[in-house]
Amino acid sequence: MNIGDTSVYTDFQGLGELKAMASRDADGSLEKVAQQFESLFIQQMLKTMRQASLGKGLMDSDQSLFYRDMYDQQLAIGLAESGGMGLADVIIRQLQSQRGVEKQSGAEMPTKQVTDYTRDAQHLKVVTKSAAVVAASEQTQAVRPEKDPAGWNIDDFVQQLLPLASEAATLIGIQPQALLAQAALETGWGKHMMHDPGGRSANNLFGIKADQRWDGERVKVDTLEYQEGVAVKKRDHFRAYGSYRDSFLDYVEFLRGSPRYIKALEVAGDSERYFSELQRAGYATDPKYANKISSIMAGDELRSALARFKAGAAEPL
């Protein structure tokens, strides 16, 4: 199969061939790998947009929907191959920088640098999502240097995290401000982040614990758990991330990877129902968890900060 064949963009079976070719010509395959990731991301974005519609039209049928999906696939391929949304360039820079390879150096890229990213469908999705968030993050951090969260005010919190929240929200069909409200509750608007013994932030925005499924870094901190409605102080392990971006992406994967949160994801378009289902599924032990997040969403603090952010974004640089 030729690496330029469209089949490699439309099904995950093509990843096996891409991986084999990467082992023979890793540097030459990097651009194709990036194009495939971008094409699949665009397909996922189109799918999410379709799901957000009001439902089937009067003239829709299973056959028409099948052809519509085929059209979306071809549209995604065409966009990716004609320059796309700029994600391919971001992915290339990310893969090169993460593996210590600069494009100008002319150094040969080790095989593992590509094969690690074409290993399976699940990992492919994570890399694609990460690239989308990088694109938004690069644009915002270019004009707003990151500050220590301990010194954040609410405007800092929104400015730093809204672009990341927007990308993560697109992946599960929820409002970005809903994720900001949840992160605000979990971290006290960024002022109460978890830290390791050396004082380094764990970048954990959603209070996700490090159970047996987690093989990354972790921190052990004091936390409040509710037992029969009574708050009890405990000490437990929580996940640690290299960046806020990683925290958002892991939040999405954490929910998608657990059957207990299926009902919550099904109603993600309705934030109040979404958080009620999260609480019902055991995401948090606080009996008022969903109500607290809804109060933050409806509160003047978040609304005003979002309005100021939008007004600032509309101003010419």
Side-chain angles (χ1 to χ4, degrees):
M1 178 180 67
N2 188 297
I3 197 168
D5 290 346
T6 56
S7 61
V8 79
Y9 291 90
T10 56
D11 63 72
F12 290 116
Q13 292 179 350
L15 288 173
E17 177 65 19
L18 189 65
K19 178 176 178 179
M21 294 199 70
S23 66
R24 299 192 296 269
D25 181 21
D27 190 54
S29 301
L30 183 56
E31 183 177 354
K32 289 298 181 182
V33 172
Q35 283 186 352
Q36 179 172 348
F37 288 167
E38 180 167 20
S39 174
L40 290 170
F41 176 81
I42 294 173
Q43 289 181 40
Q44 180 64 34
M45 182 179 67
L46 290 171
K47 182 179 179 181
T48 301
M49 292 170 63
R50 298 287 192 189
Q51 290 174 341
S53 68
L54 295 177
K56 288 185 178 181
L58 293 175
M59 303 300 293
D60 283 339
S61 64
D62 290 341
Q63 186 175 22
S64 68
L65 294 177
F66 171 75
Y67 283 111
R68 187 195 70 185
D69 290 341
M70 290 182 63
Y71 170 78
D72 287 347
Q73 286 184 347
Q74 294 304 314
L75 177 61
I77 293 168
L79 286 172
E81 292 182 339
S82 62
M85 302 166 59
L87 293 181
D89 292 337
V90 175
I91 293 169
I92 290 173
R93 291 200 303 272
Q94 184 187 29
L95 295 180
Q96 289 174 332
S97 62
Q98 286 182 349
R99 300 299 184 179
V101 178
E102 292 296 334
K103 197 171 184 179
Q104 293 85 359
S105 68
E108 184 177 354
M109 185 177 181
T111 299
K112 189 174 185 296
Q113 294 174 359
V114 172
T115 56
D116 278 352
Y117 285 89
T118 58
R119 186 166 49 208
D120 55 45
Q122 182 67 21
H123 199 65
L124 171 65
K125 292 178 184 177
V126 174
V127 174
T128 306
K129 296 167 192 173
S130 179
V133 178
V134 170
S137 181
E138 286 180 346
Q139 293 174 356
T140 56
Q141 292 181 5
V143 295
R144 287 188 294 272
E146 185 172 336
K147 297 171 61 176
D148 181 354
W152 280 0
N153 56 35
I154 294 178
D155 284 350
D156 294 326
F157 183 89
V158 170
Q159 289 176 353
Q160 292 293 332
L161 300 184
L162 180 57
L164 305 179
S166 297
E167 294 298 334
T170 299
L171 299 172
I172 56 177
I174 197 172
Q175 295 177 301
Q177 57 265 40
L179 297 186
L180 286 182
Q182 186 176 12
L185 177 63
E186 292 284 357
T187 67
W189 296 101
K191 294 183 181 297
H192 304 296
M193 300 289 292
M194 303 173 190
H195 293 81
D196 65 16
R200 184 178 59 175
S201 174
N203 297 320
N204 189 327
L205 297 170
F206 298 99
I208 300 179
K209 292 183 179 179
D211 57 17
Q212 67 276 9
R213 296 170 294 178
W214 178 250
D215 58 1
E217 293 188 18
R218 60 186 64 203
V219 293
K220 192 173 185 179
V221 298
D222 292 331
T223 182
L224 285 179
E225 299 287 345
Y226 286 80
Q227 298 178 351
E228 297 182 357
V230 179
V232 179
K233 186 176 181 180
K234 292 187 175 183
R235 193 165 179 82
D236 214 334
H237 288 95
F238 290 81
R239 301 183 181 190
Y241 307 100
S243 66
Y244 302 129
R245 177 179 64 251
D246 292 340
S247 181
F248 273 103
L249 294 179
D250 186 61
Y251 172 80
V252 172
E253 292 307 309
F254 175 76
L255 296 181
R256 284 180 165 179
S258 178
R260 67 196 295 186
Y261 300 121
I262 289 178
K263 288 185 177 180
L265 293 174
E266 288 177 346
V267 296
D270 184 331
S271 299
E272 289 192 6
R273 291 181 62 194
Y274 170 78
F275 289 117
S276 294
E277 290 295 342
L278 275 192
Q279 180 178 318
R280 188 174 291 110
Y283 185 94
T285 58
D286 184 349
K288 297 182 179 180
Y289 188 76
N291 289 337
K292 289 178 179 179
I293 298 175
S294 296
S295 295
I296 294 174
M297 281 190 64
D300 291 337
E301 292 178 314
L302 181 57
R303 287 186 174 183
S304 298
L306 287 170
R308 288 190 293 270
F309 175 86
K310 292 177 181 178
E315 295 176 359
L317 296 177

